[in-house]
Amino acid sequence: MAGPAPDIHRELHRFHVMGDIVAVELTIRASFTGPFKTPVGTIEPTGAKLTVPTADFCYVENGKIKEFNCYVGLSAMLAQLGVQPDFASAVTASAATS
């Protein structure tokens, strides 16, 4: 995200500790000012303000983080980038393989 959104910052909302798992609810905030490379091409920057819901999970073992996972609200982020899903094509492709 640093390339397309160099001013990125994280707003932490809540922490949940469940044994050896720490979950963090947060929001990623940034401005879309750099190119966003995707497998099908590059989305050019629009200056859009991004507010993306996110959740982080840390798995702790012996007092150290063994594994870290970050889950981003991708559909919210893509909508804010101006990328709309093409559900009709997905349904057509799905029907063709059935």
Side-chain angles (χ1 to χ4, degrees):
M1 284 290 297
D7 65 343
I8 191 168
H9 69 275
R10 300 157 61 91
E11 179 182 330
L12 306 179
H13 301 296
R14 287 181 281 282
F15 289 82
H16 307 276
V17 179
M18 302 156 285
D20 290 340
I21 301 170
V22 178
V24 182
E25 295 177 72
L26 61 133
T27 300
I28 292 176
R29 297 189 190 280
S31 303
F32 179 36
T33 58
F36 182 49
K37 296 182 191 299
T38 75
V40 296
T42 300
I43 301 170
E44 294 302 325
T46 63
K49 300 295 182 195
L50 304 177
T51 302
V52 184
T54 307
D56 290 344
F57 292 87
C58 296
Y59 299 88
V60 181
E61 188 175 282
N62 299 320
K64 296 183 180 180
I65 296 174
K66 177 181 177 185
E67 183 179 340
F68 171 79
N69 293 309
C70 177
Y71 298 96
V72 177
L74 185 61
S75 58
M77 183 181 83
L78 290 175
Q80 292 171 38
L81 291 175
V83 178
Q84 299 302 320
D86 184 357
F87 289 110
S89 292
V91 169
T92 301
S94 176
T97 61
S98 298

